[in-house]
Amino acid sequence: MEIQEITQEVEKQNVVIRQVMAEVEKVIVGQKDLLERLMVGLLCDGHLLLEGLPGLAKTTAIRTLAAAIDVGFQRIQFTPDLLPADILGTQIFRPDTGQFVIRKGPIFNNIILADEINRAPAKVQSALLEAMSERQITLAGKCFELEKPFMVLATQNPIEQEGTYPLPEAQVDRFMLKINVTYPTEAQEKEIMNRVRQGVTENVCSAVSSQSIDEAKKAVQAVHMEEKITDYIISLVRATRDPAAYGLDSQNLIRYGASPRASIYLGAAARAHAFINGRAYVIPQDVKAMAPDVLRHRIMVSYEAEAEGIDSDQLIKTLLERIEVP
């Protein structure tokens, strides 16, 4: 497909995403980066992890996104006493027929809000692994395919908060993006108060269908990426595993680096970012914009880094400053 054809398709399908964002912005004030990344996850079939203190509209943003799209939605409140069967479903006995039947759980929906996912122990968190990775569920020896689109949008409070459990590393890696949600500005907080008082937050309607989202996804996949941009992505990811090979002195600060999923997701996220900004081609700025959210939960800092107060975001900032941009 020629670049002119891709551009025309991007311009056409970009309207769909703008409609969804317009509906979400009726409720969510500010948080432009958060809304963009929700769109990136939607366009890439990626699972998102939102971290922030209570009361920062994490749950509201996800619920509003689901309301703006004509798809199935289910909110699951994670608590310490939750069981895997409460999420996946279970086998029950029907006395009238004398047979066991499968009762499907809330995971059998398009958009899943896993609210406060780190309030539940690892056994329950791990119940999501097959659904997130394979997009299928195994119950009583039978495989059930999950409907498309399927997204897990999880929220969590910071680990240092009392009563939370760290997510298993295997599950964290399955999240495409980890988004840090911060406090609104003074003006934004005033606008939030006014909107809630006026009841504006209840006026969200289904702006687009799932078929429209599918068409937009095809346009995203067609967005052009030069080989030198692909090489830049690979350099960024590999530098988290072997900093010395790229002239960085952070070897002792990283316990282990990002997995190959990081390269895959960063390329997809860069395409989606270009699409959202109305471009049919990826530029280095698209990669730089998405790199922190793709990499921050995939870099495990060393004890030495923790002692010096260095986190993964600071290491990523150094990577982006030092790795040569094409």
Side-chain angles (χ1 to χ4, degrees):
M1 189 182 291
E2 295 292 333
I3 194 69
Q4 292 86 355
E5 296 176 5
I6 300 174
T7 301
Q8 291 175 359
E9 189 64 17
V10 165
E11 291 174 352
K12 177 183 175 182
Q13 299 300 333
N14 188 268
V15 175
V16 173
I17 296 304
R18 293 295 168 191
Q19 288 177 323
V20 176
M21 291 186 72
E23 287 298 317
V24 177
E25 286 172 347
K26 289 181 181 179
V27 177
I28 304 300
V29 179
Q31 300 285 14
K32 182 177 182 294
D33 286 346
L34 170 60
L35 297 186
E36 270 198 358
R37 276 136 188 81
L38 287 175
M39 295 302 109
V40 167
L42 183 64
L43 291 167
C44 298
D45 283 328
H47 309 297
L48 309 185
L49 179 62
L50 281 64
E51 182 174 285
L53 295 169
L56 296 182
K58 301 183 298 295
T59 301
T60 302
I62 295 169
R63 191 172 59 241
T64 307
L65 171 65
I69 306 169
D70 187 18
V71 294
F73 170 71
Q74 183 66 52
R75 177 177 184 254
I76 304 172
Q77 182 64 51
F78 279 62
T79 56
D81 60 347
L82 197 69
L83 298 173
D86 296 328
I87 299 173
L88 307 179
T90 188
Q91 203 175 29
I92 61 172
F93 180 71
R94 296 288 300 270
D96 54 338
T97 62
Q99 295 180 333
F100 285 93
V101 297
I102 299 293
R103 175 176 288 174
K104 294 181 178 180
I107 196 73
F108 288 90
N109 277 280
N110 299 108
I111 295 181
I112 304 298
L113 166 53
D115 210 8
E116 293 187 307
I117 191 172
N118 60 334
R119 292 288 180 190
K123 183 178 181 180
V124 178
Q125 295 170 5
S126 298
L128 290 173
L129 285 177
E130 183 182 13
M132 292 174 67
S133 181
E134 308 296 334
R135 285 173 166 76
Q136 68 178 26
I137 293 296
T138 303
L139 285 175
K142 297 180 181 178
C143 271
F144 297 89
E145 295 287 334
L146 295 171
E147 293 183 16
K148 296 180 180 180
F150 175 75
M151 292 176 65
V152 173
L153 302 175
T155 70
Q156 72 171 13
N157 297 326
I159 295 299
E160 60 267 26
Q161 290 241 328
E162 188 176 347
T164 60
Y165 301 82
L167 295 179
E169 292 166 359
Q171 184 176 1
V172 170
D173 195 44
R174 282 168 170 77
F175 284 102
M176 180 182 188
L177 308 176
K178 181 182 179 184
I179 306 162
N180 288 338
V181 185
T182 57
Y183 286 114
T185 64
E186 183 177 348
Q188 289 170 349
E189 196 158 354
K190 185 176 181 180
E191 176 64 18
I192 291 169
M193 290 178 64
N194 290 334
R195 289 194 188 185
V196 172
R197 180 177 57 82
Q198 296 167 5
V200 176
T201 56
E202 300 174 2
N203 296 332
V204 177
C205 62
S206 295
V208 299
S209 65
S210 59
Q211 289 80 10
S212 298
I213 297 296
D214 287 340
E215 291 299 318
K217 289 177 183 176
K218 293 176 183 177
V220 170
Q221 292 172 359
V223 169
H224 180 69
M225 182 186 291
E226 291 282 349
E227 187 175 349
K228 59 185 179 181
I229 300 291
T230 303
D231 292 340
Y232 177 53
I233 290 171
I234 292 172
S235 295
L236 286 174
V237 174
R238 292 185 67 83
T240 68
R241 306 171 199 157
D242 187 8
Y246 292 85
L248 303 175
D249 55 358
S250 52
Q251 190 78 38
N252 297 329
L253 303 178
I254 299 176
R255 208 184 321 169
Y256 65 79
S259 73
R261 278 198 186 101
S263 303
I264 296 168
Y265 284 148
L266 186 50
R271 279 191 166 92
H273 189 269
F275 172 85
I276 291 170
N277 287 277
R279 277 182 282 101
Y281 52 90
V282 177
I283 60 175
Q285 189 55 42
D286 295 315
V287 178
K288 285 192 169 189
M290 298 309 305
D293 297 304
V294 173
L295 296 176
R296 70 163 51 95
H297 54 302
R298 293 186 164 88
I299 298 175
M300 181 63 71
V301 298
S302 65
Y303 296 116
E304 182 179 334
E306 290 178 353
E308 295 179 16
I310 297 173
D311 60 16
S312 59
D313 280 338
Q314 291 171 275
L315 294 173
I316 294 166
K317 183 179 178 182
T318 301
L319 285 177
L320 295 174
E321 289 173 348
R322 301 283 295 276
I323 300 296
E324 185 180 355
V325 179

